[in-house]
Amino acid sequence: MRSFSLFFVQVFLASSAFIVFSTATTMGPCSQISGSIFSPIPDLLACLKSFPFNETLRQNVLSVVSRTFDFYTFESYYLDLPAPFQESTTDIRQELSRINATQYATDYDFNKDLYQFINSLNDGHTQWLPNCYVIWENLLPIPIVSLEVNGTQNVYVVPDAVQFVDLIPNGFEEFYSNLGIDWATLAGALVTSIEGMDPYTYVDHIADTVSGNFLDHGVRVNSVFSSYRLSGSSWSQKFGDFAGRLFSSTENVTLTVVPNGLAAEETVTIPFLAARMGGSAFEDSASYWANNCAAGDGTNGVDRRTGSNEPSGRTTSTPSRLQFRGAGRAPADGIGLPATLQPTLPELGDNTAVLKVYTLPDNETGVIFVGSFDDASDSEFQNDVVAAIQVLQSAGVTRLLIDLTNNLVGGVICQGIFFHSYLAGSDFGYAGFQGAIQANQLAQEIVTEDIADQLPVDLSFYPPAQWLFVNGTALLDNFNYVVPDLTEKVNGVADSFSIRLEDMCPFYVPIPASPPFELRYALFYANGNCASTCAQFATNMYERHNTTIAVFGGKPGLDMEYKGMAGYQVLVWTDLDSEIKTAGLKGDPLAPPDLHVGYSYMRHNWRTAYSWLDEKTPIAFRSELPQLRFPYTKDTYMNPQNIWTYASVPP
Ligand SMILES: *[C@@H]1O[C@H](CO)[C@@H](O)[C@H](O)[C@H]1NC(C)=O
Ligand SMILES: *[C@@H]1O[C@H](CO)[C@@H](O)[C@H](O)[C@H]1NC(C)=O
Ligand SMILES: *[C@@H]1O[C@H](CO)[C@@H](O)[C@H](O)[C@H]1NC(C)=O
Ligand SMILES: *[C@@H]1O[C@H](CO)[C@@H](O)[C@H](O)[C@H]1NC(C)=O
Ligand SMILES: *[C@@H]1O[C@H](CO)[C@@H](O)[C@H](O)[C@H]1NC(C)=O
Ligand SMILES: *[C@@H]1O[C@H](CO)[C@@H](O)[C@H](O)[C@H]1NC(C)=O
Ligand SMILES: *[C@@H]1O[C@H](CO)[C@@H](O)[C@H](O)[C@H]1NC(C)=O
């Protein structure tokens, strides 16, 4: 049974249909690649670089990006980040000026530079993702992992490469066989160098130039490797950033390897093949631009008071407050996890849920794999948590093991708070973090207007009625919580923030008075690729309950944090623009203009959470190492059940 991501399949079917009906005769730079979801890199680049640089678009994009950064909670922190995060230190305004003053040959080059600068902040909440270029991902058939064999860790080609590649739609393997490249013999090979470098040095380089997303270098190293995750409710295998690259122009990679069973090294050069993971069909450069790059419905926000266009937020069954989300960008390369590696234990509970629940054969350990905090609805997530805890309690397990591996979606902040609250018991009290938002002048004006217009919480993120004071009482409807702004010195720069706020979360099920399991002995484990609401949840368990946290993988001898992407709340461009329009402030001189390129996803960390152990420090910038750290082995690297079994045996 083949299983790939629904989106991949849809694009694939759409493209196959196109092959049948295509009558293209003139071969312009984009017509060359219009008939297939796969494209050799030189052909793809010929298409993507066929759009000339346009100064008008640069000014438009940079205005939107720089005025979005006005709302970024972390700008002044980035001037001098604390250890161990110092390598991401960036002067954001200086970079924006540099990009404003640089000469570019093509639109691609301009967007690539902007993408690269924001990506290298290593904050997955904050990204420039122009649809025109990020619908492609460049793939290799040989993802890599770091494995311990006979007590020594080395880099290997994934041993399941053949089964994995077999799940990729038609056209991928054929590309390599037509070139006479026998990549399949490399499955499980020991990698002795990549691009002439020590393999781990090359992995460090990819972690610093490609991965983005995670502030901690060690966590980014794990992102370079292939690993398992849950995509929706299905097991999936990530290519990892070595073998799956976004917005990349790298054409090939040269490795020396020792294939399984051989004693001698050999050198191989493997070309990337690009796959279109989204976007719309096209026939030539003009239709590529029109369908994938130009502005359209949904490029910008809406005035939510007029009610026509729904904002980008999820629709819920009841009209309720807008959802505060802490979300990463999950990879589009949703290829299934080979069936032989999927858990064989019976699934307890709802197998369509984002949670997977098992008891291990020892009958003492219950496992909950949390794929995301974003279920079909909030009440469904909460009901699934209750069902999971109840089924494990009735099975008589005494230990809980929560697997957060590659929880890259994160999700609804209140669901992270709910899950923590359910595990901690209602006697524990408020189960979220204290947070704050940027108090720039436009934010102050938005709150003033929202108060004057008595905007309800289902139309805007900014009204005071969205929040609680830190003593748990609701803000008064007319209290402008950003106006007597609190100025703090951050890296010697005066920066303004709102008062500290707590989340107001609807719970649809009763919370038990006391914890259902002994929390100190609950073992959480992950590979550090835990984004946003996932990081918030794990940090709360660690900071408030000393719950043991184990992390797998990484580079031997290099520390790895357990929380990957630990901002608090993300706001995407369309939502920020909607806030401004709904407050009636689009004409304000401080407001960003409408964006003139389509679906270019500017997103930023809009709200920060502060550590319970040091209330001056955002959790994002507080180093917290896991208590336990293990390497992957050939038995565990891609086999969730084997990892749980390994982790359930007390060391
Ligand atoms: C640049 O882009 C703008 C906005 O899309 C467009 O109106 C203009 O014609 C473009 N300029 C050139 C020289 O193509
Ligand atoms: C880019 O630089 C030019 C020239 O200094 C300036 O007029 C323009 O406002 C700058 N653009 C942005 C978006 O800051
Ligand atoms: C690991 O150890 C086993 C048993 O000593 C040996 O047979 C095998 O060749 C070793 N493998 C490697 C990769 O060193
Ligand atoms: C590898 O890519 C480079 C450009 O990055 C190109 O010059 C070279 O020909 C490619 N080699 C192979 C074997 O494809
Ligand atoms: C776990 O429970 C099952 C079913 O009751 C039983 O067959 C099995 O022997 C138990 N395993 C252990 C390790 O106690
Ligand atoms: C909670 O704090 C707010 C702001 O400091 C204060 O106005 C309010 O009276 C407090 N409420 C209670 C019940 O202490
Ligand atoms: C966690 O452990 C540390 C060190 O043992 C201790 O100081 C702290 O009070 C503990 N915190 C909680 C919430 O139990």
Side-chain angles (χ1 to χ4, degrees), residues 518-564:
E518 172 84 76
L519 287 179
R520 279 191 53 194
Y521 301 107
L523 182 73
F524 278 57
Y525 98 85
N527 64 348
N529 286 206
C530 169
S532 201
T533 294
C534 176
Q536 170 239 113
F537 174 73
T539 306
N540 254 327
M541 298 311 292
Y542 177 81
E543 290 196 345
R544 316 234 40 205
H545 309 285
N546 276 340
T547 302
T548 303
I549 300 195
V551 169
F552 279 74
K555 178 179 170 179
L558 178 75
D559 278 347
M560 181 168 26
E561 305 283 318
Y562 67 78
K563 50 174 140 76

Side-chain angles (χ1 to χ4, degrees), residues 19-43:
I19 296 176
V20 175
F21 298 112
S22 169
T23 53
T25 46
T26 51
M27 280 299 188
C30 291
S31 6
Q32 189 82 23
I33 59 164
S34 65
S36 167
I37 54 165
F38 295 113
S39 169
I41 309 305
D43 296 348

Side-chain angles (χ1 to χ4, degrees), residues 249-253 269 271:
S249 50
T250 305
E251 288 181 25
N252 55 54
V253 61
T269 297

Side-chain angles (χ1 to χ4, degrees), residues 406-483:
N406 286 324
N407 186 321
L408 298 169
V409 172
V412 177
I413 290 174
C414 278
Q415 300 312 346
I417 295 174
F418 165 80
F419 201 176
H420 173 207
S421 192
Y422 201 89
L423 290 173
S426 59
D427 293 345
F428 181 74
Y430 176 64
F433 280 99
Q434 295 183 0
I437 62 172
Q438 202 65 31
N440 67 50
Q441 196 188 326
L442 186 54
Q444 297 185 14
E445 290 173 20
I446 292 171
V447 178
T448 303
E449 290 302 319
D450 286 1
I451 290 170
D453 293 349
Q454 297 183 300
L455 278 188
V457 293
D458 58 335
L459 290 189
S460 176
F461 288 97
Y462 273 100
Q466 293 283 17
W467 311 106
L468 302 172
F469 287 114
V470 296
N471 62 13
T473 61
L475 266 61
L476 296 175
D477 287 353
N478 64 357
F479 174 60
N480 191 330
Y481 57 95
V482 293
V483 157

Side-chain angles (χ1 to χ4, degrees), residues 381-634:
F381 182 86
Q382 298 187 6
N383 284 320
D384 285 339
V385 167
V386 174
I389 299 294
Q390 281 174 354
V391 77
L392 293 177
Q393 280 181 318
S394 56
V397 306
T398 52
R399 266 196 311 253
L400 190 58
L401 192 160
I402 298 190
D403 187 351
L404 299 170
T405 300
N406 286 324
N407 186 321
L408 298 169
V409 172
V412 177
I413 290 174
C414 278
Q415 300 312 346
I417 295 174
F418 165 80
F419 201 176
H420 173 207
S421 192
Y422 201 89
L423 290 173
S426 59
D427 293 345
F428 181 74
Y430 176 64
F433 280 99
Q434 295 183 0
I437 62 172
Q438 202 65 31
N440 67 50
Q441 196 188 326
L442 186 54
Q444 297 185 14
E445 290 173 20
I446 292 171
V447 178
T448 303
E449 290 302 319
D450 286 1
I451 290 170
D453 293 349
Q454 297 183 300
L455 278 188
V457 293
D458 58 335
L459 290 189
S460 176
F461 288 97
Y462 273 100
Q466 293 283 17
W467 311 106
L468 302 172
F469 287 114
V470 296
N471 62 13
T473 61
L475 266 61
L476 296 175
D477 287 353
N478 64 357
F479 174 60
N480 191 330
Y481 57 95
V482 293
V483 157
D485 56 300
L486 305 180
T487 300
E488 277 178 40
K489 284 243 166 175
V490 179
N491 290 323
V493 175
D495 206 349
S496 300
F497 297 93
S498 69
I499 64 162
R500 295 287 170 103
L501 304 160
E502 291 188 353
D503 284 88
M504 199 185 284
C505 291
F507 289 174
Y508 301 94
V509 297
I511 304 288
S514 51
F517 293 97
E518 172 84 76
L519 287 179
R520 279 191 53 194
Y521 301 107
L523 182 73
F524 278 57
Y525 98 85
N527 64 348
N529 286 206
C530 169
S532 201
T533 294
C534 176
Q536 170 239 113
F537 174 73
T539 306
N540 254 327
M541 298 311 292
Y542 177 81
E543 290 196 345
R544 316 234 40 205
H545 309 285
N546 276 340
T547 302
T548 303
I549 300 195
V551 169
F552 279 74
K555 178 179 170 179
L558 178 75
D559 278 347
M560 181 168 26
E561 305 283 318
Y562 67 78
K563 50 174 140 76
M565 184 197 301
Y568 202 24
Q569 184 173 348
V570 67
L571 212 60
V572 300
W573 161 247
T574 46
D575 280 338
L576 179 62
D577 194 39
S578 294
E579 290 297 313
I580 295 166
K581 287 172 173 165
T582 306
L585 288 168
K586 191 65 178 180
D588 191 290
L590 296 171
D594 270 4
L595 193 57
H596 293 154
V597 282
Y599 319 111
S600 296
Y601 214 43
M602 180 69 198
R603 57 203 328 260
H604 74 294
N605 192 75
W606 180 70
R607 178 162 55 126
T608 185
Y610 295 92
S611 169
W612 288 112
L613 303 179
D614 168 7
E615 291 182 7
K616 283 204 132 358
T617 302
I619 58 172
F621 304 127
R622 191 181 151 84
S623 171
E624 286 174 359
L625 297 175
Q627 296 97 321
L628 300 173
R629 172 88 183 270
F630 303 107
Y632 285 110
T633 66
K634 282 185 174 166

Side-chain angles (χ1 to χ4, degrees), residues 64-78:
V64 166
V65 168
S66 72
R67 285 169 186 218
T68 300
F69 271 120
D70 293 345
F71 290 84
Y72 185 41
T73 48
F74 292 150
E75 181 174 339
S76 42
Y77 289 92
Y78 266 88

